[in-house]
């Protein structure tokens, strides 16, 4: 059975419904919202996969998704879902704004090694695009390289630091 979610209240409705059974909103009318607004809306969707997909798609928009950073921050801070926090970290790396880098720095301190790895990979992508994070981010990467409980995180952080040094020397 296909579930149709209401664009206003996220209420579940049967596929054939034309109005939401919970709030009465139209399920067939075009909302007129732009793509970015719909992705921001989807960050609060009841299905975890939809929230992760929305964060990933925001990342694919790159710098154009900078207006979504506050919504990504709220999502990151409220979520207990590791894969959603990792997707938010990846999106921040792709967006690359100062606010995105601040959220990426927070993700480097996440309790989950999956999120820390995603943040390091996002940082690597930023470097590949020629962006240079600030000293706060590099201090966190140094800490990860020296003392993270995950050997994989330590290895990736060390490689990032080495690439930073080799780039600075050239």
């Amino acid at each position: 059975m296909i579930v149709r979610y209401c664009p206003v209240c996220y209420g579940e409705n049967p596929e054939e419904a034309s109005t939401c059974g919970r709030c009465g909103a139209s399920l067939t009318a075009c909302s007129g919202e732009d793509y970015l607004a719909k992705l921001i809306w989807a960050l609060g969707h009841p299905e975890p996969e939809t929230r992760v997909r929305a964060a990933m798609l925001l990342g694919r928009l790159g710098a154009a998704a900078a207006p979504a950073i506050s919504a990504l921050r709220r999502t990151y801070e409220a979520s207990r879902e590791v894969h959603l926090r990792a997707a938010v970290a990846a999106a921040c790396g792709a967006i690359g704004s100062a606010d995105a880098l601040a959220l990426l720095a927070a993700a480097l301190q996440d309790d989950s090694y999956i999120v820390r790895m995603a943040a390091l990979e996002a940082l690597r992508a930023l470097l590949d695009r020629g962006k240079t994070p600030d000293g706060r981010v590099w201090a966190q990467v140094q800490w990860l390289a020296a003392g993270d409980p995950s050997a994989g995180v330590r290895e990736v952080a060390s490689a990032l630091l080495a690439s930073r040094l080799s780039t600075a020397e050239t």
Side-chain angles (χ1 to χ4, degrees):
M1 179 176 108
I2 294 177
V3 175
R4 200 173 203 179
Y5 286 94
C6 174
V8 175
C9 74
Y10 299 116
E12 291 185 14
N13 295 278
E15 180 181 12
E16 63 279 355
S18 61
T19 59
C20 177
R22 183 189 293 168
C23 72
S26 173
L27 299 176
T28 58
C30 183
S31 68
E33 290 181 314
D34 66 351
Y35 187 56
L36 182 62
K38 287 182 182 191
L39 291 175
I40 291 170
W41 174 85
L43 289 171
H45 198 276
E47 290 180 341
E49 298 86 2
T50 300
R51 291 189 295 271
V52 170
R53 193 175 312 113
M56 291 170 55
L57 290 170
L58 284 165
R60 286 187 188 165
L61 291 176
I69 290 297
S70 61
L72 285 166
R73 177 174 294 286
R74 284 190 304 274
T75 299
Y76 179 87
E77 291 172 351
S79 180
R80 297 178 68 185
E81 300 167 28
V82 171
H83 296 289
L84 177 56
R85 293 193 320 268
V88 168
C92 287
I95 293 167
S97 67
D99 290 342
L101 289 177
L103 185 49
L104 188 59
L108 288 169
Q109 300 174 41
D110 197 277
D111 290 339
S112 169
Y113 81 94
I114 292 171
V115 178
R116 293 191 308 276
M117 284 293 275
L120 288 169
E121 292 302 326
L123 183 56
R124 181 191 321 265
L126 274 169
L127 294 172
D128 290 346
R129 293 193 323 267
K131 297 230 180 208
T132 306
D134 63 17
R136 171 188 55 196
V137 171
W138 286 115
Q140 187 61 35
V141 173
Q142 286 176 326
W143 185 87
L144 292 173
D148 194 86
S150 166
V153 170
R154 288 192 309 271
E155 182 179 319
V156 172
S158 295
L160 280 173
L161 290 171
S163 71
R164 178 184 184 218
L165 290 175
S166 68
T167 303
E169 291 173 356
T170 58

